[in-house]
Amino acid sequence: RWLAEQRLGDADAALHTAGIGFQAPSGFSRQPHPFQGLFHLSFTRLWVGNAVFAHSVLVPWQGAVQPWDATAPTGLTALHFEQALALQPEVLIFGSGEALRFVSPALYRSLIERGIGFETMDTRAACRTYNVLASEGRSVVAALLLAAG
C-alpha cells in the first residue's frame, strides 16, 4: 500500500487500495503516454520512472536524468542554473529542498534573458508541477535539490 501511495499519488492510491480503478467512458480508451513521472519518496531519494536517485538532479522532459552537483540553496551559483540551458527548456522548475527557499534572481538571470520561465518551490511541489507540465508535453526541466542521505 505504501508503494502504491508513493507511485500513484494520494488520491489515486486511495482509489486503488479501495479497489476502485479508472474506467474509461464508453467509446474512449486510456492512451499510453511516453511520459515517465517523478515520484518523490523522501527528501533524500527520488524516483524517475523506474530509477532511484540519492543526489540532486536535473530532470528534462526528454532524455536522461543528469546529476546536478547542487547540495543546498545557499551553495548555488549561476553556473548551476546555466547547466539547464543545454537542455533547452521553456521553463525550469527549481525544487529548493524540504522548505521553500528563494535564491537571488542574479543566479538564474541567464535563463530569464533567454525567455525561459523560472519557478521556485519546495522539491515535493516541484515534482508535482513537473509531472503536470511534462505530461502536457511541455519543454520543462526540474532542477531538484535532494539532501544528502
Side-chain angles (χ1 to χ4, degrees):
R1 178 173 175 217
W2 179 81
L3 182 59
E5 288 175 0
Q6 299 302 316
R7 301 236 25 224
L8 299 174
D10 293 336
D12 285 346
L15 293 174
H16 179 73
T17 56
I20 302 169
F22 174 80
Q23 294 293 329
S26 178
F28 292 90
S29 62
R30 182 175 247 183
Q31 297 296 316
H33 193 286
F35 164 68
Q36 296 221 15
L38 294 176
F39 301 100
H40 191 257
L41 298 179
S42 71
F43 288 104
T44 60
R45 299 284 185 269
L46 174 78
W47 281 39
V48 180
N50 293 323
V52 64
F53 296 89
H55 54 77
S56 299
V57 292
L58 292 173
V59 184
W61 76 102
Q62 60 184 11
V65 174
Q66 299 182 10
W68 196 39
D69 67 347
T71 56
T74 56
L76 293 172
T77 67
L79 292 175
H80 285 105
F81 292 108
E82 288 177 14
Q83 281 182 261
L85 288 175
L87 302 171
Q88 301 178 340
E90 64 184 65
V91 65
L92 179 81
I93 305 297
F94 170 55
S96 62
E98 188 171 354
L100 173 61
R101 299 207 174 161
F102 292 100
V103 295
S104 169
L107 297 181
Y108 53 87
R109 179 170 308 200
S110 62
L111 299 168
I112 301 301
E113 288 173 349
R114 289 171 178 82
I116 298 170
F118 184 88
E119 294 293 333
T120 299
M121 51 198 73
D122 68 66
T123 298
R124 286 183 196 254
C127 289
R128 291 189 303 267
T129 302
Y130 172 90
N131 285 340
V132 170
L133 295 175
S135 70
E136 293 174 348
R138 302 277 305 271
S139 303
V140 60
V141 170
L144 305 172
L145 286 180
L146 296 179

